[in-house]
């Protein structure tokens, strides 16, 4: 990458936003999975 180009700050900001978005998506997926597992465990307890 040409660090002296006028758009280098834009490219860096784009990469940073992409990383933040992916991290948020991963965190959201893990928390949703944990909630689903918790609800399934509660359902299994009430089913018997």
């Amino acid at each position: 990458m040409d660090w002296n180009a006028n758009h280098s700050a834009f490219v860096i900001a784009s990469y940073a936003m992409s990383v933040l978005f992916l991290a948020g998506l991963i965190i959201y997926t893990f928390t949703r999975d944990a909630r689903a597992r918790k609800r399934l465990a509660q359902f299994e307890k009430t089913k018997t």
Side-chain angles (χ1 to χ4, degrees), residues 9-26:
F10 174 76
V11 173
I12 292 170
S14 297
Y15 280 123
M17 287 180 62
S18 296
V19 167
L20 289 175
F21 176 75
L22 286 175
L25 190 61
I26 290 168

Side-chain angles (χ1 to χ4, degrees), residues 23-43:
L25 190 61
I26 290 168
I27 290 169
Y28 171 74
T29 302
F30 280 128
T31 56
R32 189 180 69 174
D33 182 57
R35 281 186 308 214
R37 288 179 191 266
K38 186 177 177 182
R39 289 180 185 160
L40 182 62
Q42 288 175 348
F43 175 73

Side-chain angles (χ1 to χ4, degrees), residues 1-14:
M1 182 195 311
D2 183 13
W3 294 105
N4 295 323
N6 290 333
H7 66 283
S8 61
F10 174 76
V11 173
I12 292 170
S14 297

